[in-house]
Amino acid sequence: MPSVDTLPQVGVHSTATILNNPNNNDFGRQFIQKYLLNEDVLVRHNAAVPTLYEDGLLEKGTMISSTGALMAFSGKKTGRSPKDKRIVDEETSTNEIWWGPVNKKVDEHTWLVSRSRAIDYLRTRQKLFVVDAYAGWDPRYRIKVRIICARAYHALFMRNMLIRPTEEELASFGEPDFTIYNAGQFPANIHTRGMTSNTSVEINFKAMEMVILGTEYAGEMKKGIFTVMFYLMPIRHKILTLHSSANQGVKEGDVTLFFGLSGTGKTTLSADPHRELIGDDEHCWSDHGVFNIEGGCYAKCLDLSGEKEPEIYNAIKFGAVLENVVYDPESREVDYENPNFTENTRCSYPIEYIPSAKLPCLADSHPKNIILLTCDARGVLPPVSKLTKAQVMYHFISGYTSKMAGTEEGVTEPEATFSACFGQPFLALHPMRYAQQLSDKMAEHNATAWLLNTGWTGNSAAKGGKRCPLKYTRAILDAIHDGSLAKAEYETFGTFGLNVPVAIPGVPSELLNPQKSWVGGEKEFEKEVKNLGTLFAENFTKYSDQATAEVQAAGPVL
Ligand code: ATP
Ligand code: MN
């Protein structure tokens, strides 16, 4: 099988002067034009899926799965690299950005070094891929995005994940609002000021560009665009950006948002045969309703089964990209249970591959139910609780979950984590700005909010607890959606002051209250509840000077 390594290298091009000029604002356009004119280099500009397959198959390890998906490998990095994410410190955005460990500063000089490095690398390639597409389904607010990359699988991934323009729209696409230079195969320069490893993901809000060096994990591109939306939408349009999935009832037209960190169930639970899928990961809530940012889904594949998750399983066909899965070399059948390469095996597919997808992916009504998903590996939180207004804000700001192995580099054991707005790694502005906006919107539209623990029950993951079976979580959701749960009888769950339903059809009643389902003694349980409560309280001190007394009081009482 030919590999990129055996292809002849291209020499220095006459376009070098233009390409190296950092002051050139028209860079993206000239880059493409020059390449299109250069016979040595093939530019696949908005190539069709079969072409991307053919090019993809020339890459080492890339194969076609038995169901027709393109199986590719991202190399060493198989999850996001949050420690290597940087925002350029420049005058147009510096006063808005939430600087700190999430958004680390990089100066304009270092940015130029990284950017030149990425571009110089791309210039050495024989073949380049350019994808033009939109982010945001509401035409009033969508942005035009261009991806320039060297791997066919990256191009196909972003073609799936962004909103594919019609032929007409492509003809008049013009210049992009935002450009990603993905040179992930090539390292960042560790000797550059501010670089701490050979991976760097840098966003520049003045240039409206992003550069990727040293990681080929495709998810960096989609989450990069997400950060751009977390910046642009509130600043430009006062629109709330959400790390959530969304779906809509077929009959009632009621919209549900599912907030949650990685692995808590946004993708899994939003794919519901009884409801239309608006999107599985990134949304915006405007004065007109809810719109999806993306044109595709990026589902976890570990332990995926056709029986439990038929919608997602059947979406893995021609056009879909399988990332880092283990497969049988003969039959090309994917071994979904195999975590040996990574726990974070993924598949990306256009949203229309889900039969219940709603196209266009937006709703002109406001959310009726807001679900905060958590995956508690300690087995302490109840599978479902109905939240008061103050509790929603408390839990939204806290963003508790157990970080599961896989999606981030270096996480191999479940660990308690608090991630503001259930999306801290992607926030561009201070979390309280989003929290305040959510609070206002919920009050205006009178949404009911729930906390759903899709994690462990009975005991912790380490001590023999079991993950809440998917069928029970789905039964809980059915009761929320048919309106019965809002009217059910409730009891109070101790320290956390949560309202827990006494019974739900199709769910064993003892499962609903962790105190009753706990295996391992009352004392141990009390201790675990207190431990988790303490972690909540400690975390919330970060926000105590900004949250109202009412919201602060909505946390665990120790
Ligand atoms: P990401 O932000 O990384 O895309 P996500 O929130 O979309 O994460 P999912 O991809 O839906 O998370 O992952 C949830 C995983 O947990 C799936 O593999 C699903 O099969 C599994 N799972 C097991 N039990 C449950 C449950 N009760 N509810 C939801 N998911 C469950
Ligand atoms: Mn997901």
Side-chain angles (χ1 to χ4, degrees):
M1 188 190 66
S3 90
V4 265
D5 301 326
T6 59
L7 293 171
Q9 295 292 304
V10 190
V12 178
H13 300 294
S14 55
T15 54
T17 8
I18 297 164
L19 297 178
N20 282 333
N21 184 354
N23 299 320
N24 202 331
N25 290 332
D26 278 343
F27 184 81
R29 180 173 51 80
Q30 298 200 8
F31 186 78
I32 289 173
Q33 275 180 357
K34 289 294 168 185
Y35 267 110
L36 285 170
L37 294 173
N38 188 330
E39 285 169 17
D40 291 341
V41 178
L42 205 56
V43 175
R44 300 284 200 209
H45 196 171
N46 298 318
V49 178
T51 312
L52 294 174
Y53 263 62
E54 286 157 13
D55 290 329
L57 291 171
L58 301 174
E59 293 170 6
K60 220 171 170 176
T62 302
M63 298 272 179
I64 299 179
S65 82
S66 60
T67 64
L70 191 72
M71 299 188 283
F73 292 90
S74 67
K76 216 174 112 208
K77 301 257 171 155
T78 57
R80 285 186 299 103
S81 305
K83 293 191 184 83
D84 298 307
K85 183 183 161 190
R86 298 177 174 87
I87 307 280
V88 180
D89 185 14
E90 46 77 21
E91 72 283 359
T92 71
S93 65
T94 190
N95 294 332
E96 303 285 358
I97 303 296
W98 181 38
W99 296 114
V102 170
N103 298 308
K104 284 180 286 295
K105 282 186 185 179
V106 62
D107 64 37
E108 287 186 287
H109 176 78
T110 301
W111 155 259
L112 288 177
V113 173
S114 296
R115 181 178 180 273
S116 301
R117 214 171 151 84
I119 285 158
D120 285 345
Y121 169 76
L122 292 171
R123 271 182 32 223
T124 65
R125 299 297 89 190
Q126 257 231 322
K127 208 185 276 174
L128 285 176
F129 301 89
V130 179
V131 177
D132 293 332
Y134 300 109
W137 276 92
D138 189 328
R140 282 172 284 222
Y141 310 117
R142 74 182 178 193
I143 63 166
K144 295 187 281 181
V145 177
R146 174 166 292 164
I147 316 295
I148 302 174
C149 59
R151 289 195 68 181
Y153 119 71
H154 286 158
L156 181 55
F157 175 86
M158 285 310 275
R159 188 186 191 280
N160 284 347
M161 295 312 298
L162 291 169
I163 300 161
R164 294 156 290 287
T166 62
E167 261 174 49
E168 254 175 19
E169 285 170 331
L170 261 191
S172 61
F173 193 81
E175 293 311 300
D177 300 308
F178 194 86
T179 303
I180 296 181
Y181 297 100
N182 186 346
Q185 300 98 303
F186 199 65
N189 186 338
I190 187 106
H191 302 298
T192 314
R193 190 169 58 222
M195 277 311 124
T196 47
S197 76
N198 54 23
T199 299
S200 195
V201 177
E202 299 173 31
I203 298 177
N204 186 329
F205 287 118
K206 183 164 74 174
M208 280 294 157
E209 289 180 346
M210 175 175 171
V211 159
I212 299 176
L213 288 164
T215 172
E216 294 167 66
Y217 180 62
E220 291 292 0
M221 291 183 283
K222 83 159 213 122
K223 287 296 205 258
I225 296 297
F226 197 25
T227 297
V228 173
M229 297 300 268
F230 263 113
Y231 175 76
L232 282 183
M233 291 299 115
I235 298 251
R236 272 194 192 164
H237 306 294
K238 296 199 165 58
I239 287 174
L240 178 58
T241 303
L242 319 160
H243 187 212
S244 78
S245 57
N247 64 20
Q248 188 171 23
V250 179
K251 264 197 229 144
E252 310 282 334
D254 61 303
V255 174
T256 296
L257 294 179
F258 302 80
F259 288 95
L261 289 157
S262 185
T264 56
K266 292 184 301 301
T267 300
T268 304
L269 300 173
S270 58
D272 179 335
H274 309 300
R275 299 176 64 81
E276 289 186 309
L277 178 68
I278 299 174
D280 82 325
D281 198 49
E282 308 178 1
H283 289 82
C284 289
W285 187 354
S286 76
D287 287 343
H288 306 280
V290 171
F291 65 90
N292 187 356
I293 291 174
E294 303 181 290
C297 301
Y298 192 32
K300 280 183 191 295
C301 292
L302 194 64
D303 295 330
L304 183 67
S305 82
E307 205 182 304
K308 281 193 241 157
E309 297 174 63
E311 294 84 9
I312 295 172
Y313 189 86
N314 293 326
I316 305 181
K317 55 186 182 185
F318 183 77
V321 177
L322 277 164
E323 199 179 26
N324 299 323
V325 294
V326 176
Y327 55 89
D328 182 302
E330 290 290 315
S331 67
R332 307 283 162 82
E333 267 170 40
V334 179
D335 180 0
Y336 287 114
E337 273 145 45
N338 194 325
N340 290 353
F341 197 64
T342 172
E343 305 248 347
N344 191 30
T345 53
R346 292 270 181 169
C347 184
S348 102
Y349 45 86
I351 192 160
E352 60 268 23
Y353 282 18
I354 297 289
S356 63
K358 186 181 189 217
L359 291 165
C361 302
L362 45 81
D364 55 10
S365 55
H366 296 276
K368 182 175 174 197
N369 286 294
I370 301 229
I371 294 171
L372 308 184
L373 298 171
T374 182
C375 176
D376 177 24
R378 295 168 173 247
V380 166
L381 292 178
V384 59
S385 3
K386 193 172 158 209
L387 300 176
T388 64
K389 284 199 171 69
Q391 282 174 335
V392 196
M393 292 329 296
Y394 184 88
H395 285 277
F396 184 70
I397 294 164
S398 299
Y400 166 71
T401 197
S402 302
K403 218 184 246 181
M404 305 311 289
T407 307
E408 268 181 42
E409 281 295 308
V411 178
T412 49
E413 292 281 316
E415 59 183 63
T417 178
F418 292 90
S419 180
C421 310
F422 292 99
Q424 188 162 298
F426 321 116
L427 304 183
L429 315 177
H430 192 280
M432 290 308 279
R433 289 173 74 173
Y434 304 106
Q436 189 53 52
Q437 232 180 337
L438 180 70
S439 171
D440 294 347
K441 284 196 171 292
M442 284 188 59
E444 188 183 340
H445 301 291
N446 212 8
T448 310
W450 312 84
L451 181 67
L452 233 70
N453 174 17
T454 63
W456 274 257
T457 68
N459 205 312
S460 68
K463 287 194 186 161
K466 292 229 157 54
R467 189 148 183 200
C468 182
L470 193 47
K471 61 175 178 192
Y472 296 149
T473 304
R474 289 205 193 278
I476 292 169
L477 283 173
D478 289 344
I480 289 175
H481 286 137
D482 70 19
S484 61
L485 200 55
K487 295 181 219 137
E489 186 191 331
Y490 284 84
E491 58 188 348
T492 308
F493 173 65
T495 311
F496 280 82
L498 293 167
N499 295 313
V500 176
V502 176
I504 297 175
V507 185
S509 292
E510 65 278 8
L511 190 90
L512 294 172
N513 191 329
Q515 202 161 10
K516 294 174 189 161
S517 58
W518 190 265
V519 184
E522 207 172 303
K523 274 222 173 98
E524 188 195 63
F525 179 70
E526 289 302 319
K527 200 176 129 214
E528 287 302 320
V529 175
K530 221 175 146 207
N531 284 346
L532 184 60
T534 308
L535 291 178
F536 264 86
E538 281 169 6
N539 172 68
F540 209 80
T541 55
K542 284 186 270 194
Y543 308 104
S544 35
D545 57 335
Q546 289 163 80
T548 64
E550 201 195 355
V551 170
Q552 286 194 55
V557 179
L558 296 158

